[in-house]
Amino acid sequence: MKKDVRTRYILPAVICLLILAGVGYYYFFTSFTGKNETVYVYIDEDDNYDSLMYKIEPVARKHSLHAFSMLARHSSLVDHVLTGRYALKPSTGALQAFRHIKSGMQESLNLTVPSVRTMNDLAGVLGGKLMLDSARIAQAFADEAFCRQYGYDTLTLPALFIPNTYDIYWNVSLESLMKYMQKENRKFWDDDRSAKAQRLKLSEVEVATLASIVDEETANNEEKPMIAGMYYNRLMLRDAEYPEGMPLQADPTIKFAWKQFGLKRIYNNLLYINSPYNTYRFPGLPPGPIRIASVAGIDAVLNMVHHDYIYMCAKEDFSGTHNFASNYADHLANAHRYAEALNRRGIK
């Protein structure tokens, strides 16, 4: 009789517990989104609990959203939401999603720093990928005091950034980002690269500046060491005609001075601009890079081809490569062929 009583009451209790466990598992541990790919939720400084739920609702299954809301309402998440980029993977349940967002366990992203022409361009890229305002970044990049904190000024700052893909958090502060870039810059300028720069008697900023000109001259990485060698010859040339060194006369610096990067031809009236970037008027390197130099450009300078060329002109076949010359007469002949090719194509 006692055995029947136990069976009568215990078995239903066990069944109830199993049902409750199943329901709990379904609500708290099954896939939060029900999708086969990872979904990311971005929480910024303006978000609160209500806007967090608003962002989560479109990607969450109804029962998961209900379970998340129940957990959140009984936690500090109601009063304080941590910024970040949170990954909702196919295996993520409501409980795990809640724990990650409540404790700020965000997922990093791959940030690619590109070889762009201006710091405003870089500010736009960073603002589009991170929780940073592009206008604020641009303002900081134009602030001398801000740049000095990291060992540069507003003209040399492009030399800090090494184009690469970095693993970083979406909500990184600008100050932390700059320190991270400093650390990566030091890793890039290892003993080998530093020794090569010293042998050339160029600082790291000067290498980046020369590399930026080389990058603007061609996208052909194989030819970059030749171009670097040609400009280096001009920098080092000292004679009666050029006691301070031969002017680089680099057309990309004229485009940079005018901020007209689409120019196809550089006419004489453009060469009189009173700018330190006018390498037709002022000998030596300009005061800073005219773009964020590529790794290929920097290494082309450090491993330049040593030759006796001091002139170059784009090839008339528009291949993106150049004809080189060691004397002015040969250079004029190369320039004439290129000018005729431009005229035939109606390029002004």
Side-chain angles (χ1 to χ4, degrees), residues 252-271:
T253 66
I254 302 300
K255 297 178 184 180
F256 185 87
W258 285 100
K259 294 296 186 288
Q260 294 183 27
F261 301 107
L263 291 172
K264 299 296 183 182
R265 304 181 76 159
I266 304 299
Y267 291 100
N268 285 337
N269 65 310
L270 297 174
L271 303 182

Side-chain angles (χ1 to χ4, degrees), residues 10 17 25 81 109 121 179 216 220 265 269:
I10 293 175
L17 287 174
Y25 180 84
V81 178
L109 55 76
D121 290 337
K179 289 177 182 176
E216 280 291 300
N220 187 320
R265 304 181 76 159
N269 65 310

Side-chain angles (χ1 to χ4, degrees), residues 107-121:
E107 186 145 317
S108 61
L109 55 76
N110 290 328
L111 172 68
T112 298
V113 173
S115 174
V116 290
R117 282 196 171 108
T118 70
M119 298 308 289
N120 281 343
D121 290 337

Side-chain angles (χ1 to χ4, degrees), residues 164-179:
N164 205 341
T165 298
Y166 302 100
D167 186 56
I168 204 158
Y169 287 112
W170 175 72
N171 64 345
V172 65
S173 68
L174 181 56
E175 291 72 21
S176 294
L177 175 66
M178 295 296 286
K179 289 177 182 176

Side-chain angles (χ1 to χ4, degrees), residues 78-129:
V78 174
D79 301 313
H80 182 61
V81 178
L82 297 176
T83 63
R85 172 181 181 261
Y86 297 98
L88 300 176
K89 300 177 181 179
S91 60
T92 300
L95 180 60
Q96 187 180 35
F98 163 73
R99 285 176 173 172
H100 284 187
I101 293 175
K102 178 180 179 294
S103 59
M105 292 175 61
Q106 61 175 308
E107 186 145 317
S108 61
L109 55 76
N110 290 328
L111 172 68
T112 298
V113 173
S115 174
V116 290
R117 282 196 171 108
T118 70
M119 298 308 289
N120 281 343
D121 290 337
L122 180 61
V125 170
L126 297 177
K129 289 286 289 183

Side-chain angles (χ1 to χ4, degrees), residues 107-279:
E107 186 145 317
S108 61
L109 55 76
N110 290 328
L111 172 68
T112 298
V113 173
S115 174
V116 290
R117 282 196 171 108
T118 70
M119 298 308 289
N120 281 343
D121 290 337
L122 180 61
V125 170
L126 297 177
K129 289 286 289 183
L130 302 172
M131 197 187 74
L132 294 171
D133 178 63
S134 58
R136 189 205 161 205
I137 301 171
Q139 184 179 26
F141 287 169
D143 186 307
E144 289 289 354
F146 176 85
C147 295
R148 279 198 299 271
Q149 294 178 63
Y150 307 99
Y152 297 83
D153 58 38
T154 56
L155 302 182
T156 60
L157 187 61
L160 168 65
F161 296 90
I162 306 297
N164 205 341
T165 298
Y166 302 100
D167 186 56
I168 204 158
Y169 287 112
W170 175 72
N171 64 345
V172 65
S173 68
L174 181 56
E175 291 72 21
S176 294
L177 175 66
M178 295 296 286
K179 289 177 182 176
Y180 184 82
M181 290 294 108
Q182 263 190 318
K183 183 181 73 173
E184 293 299 316
N185 181 283
R186 296 322 314 152
K187 284 167 59 177
F188 176 81
W189 283 101
D190 54 20
D191 291 342
D192 180 56
R193 286 192 174 98
S194 294
K196 288 176 179 178
Q198 289 173 9
R199 284 195 291 271
L200 293 171
K201 298 182 180 179
L202 296 175
S203 69
E204 294 168 7
V205 170
E206 289 172 330
V207 169
T209 301
L210 181 52
S212 70
I213 296 173
V214 172
D215 281 335
E216 280 291 300
E217 289 286 9
T218 184
N220 187 320
N221 287 337
E222 292 183 3
E223 194 188 37
K224 286 180 180 181
M226 281 288 292
I227 296 175
M230 190 279 297
Y231 278 126
Y232 186 74
N233 287 345
R234 289 189 166 206
L235 281 176
M236 297 296 112
L237 180 64
R238 298 290 188 276
D239 59 17
E241 186 177 0
Y242 302 113
E244 297 181 26
M246 184 178 181
L248 294 185
Q249 296 182 340
D251 288 355
T253 66
I254 302 300
K255 297 178 184 180
F256 185 87
W258 285 100
K259 294 296 186 288
Q260 294 183 27
F261 301 107
L263 291 172
K264 299 296 183 182
R265 304 181 76 159
I266 304 299
Y267 291 100
N268 285 337
N269 65 310
L270 297 174
L271 303 182
Y272 298 101
I273 183 171
N274 185 20
S275 165
Y277 291 92
N278 185 348
T279 57

Side-chain angles (χ1 to χ4, degrees), residues 223 313-323 338 341:
E223 194 188 37
C313 181
K315 284 186 177 178
E316 61 278 8
D317 61 2
F318 297 97
S319 61
T321 56
H322 297 77
N323 289 313
Y338 181 63

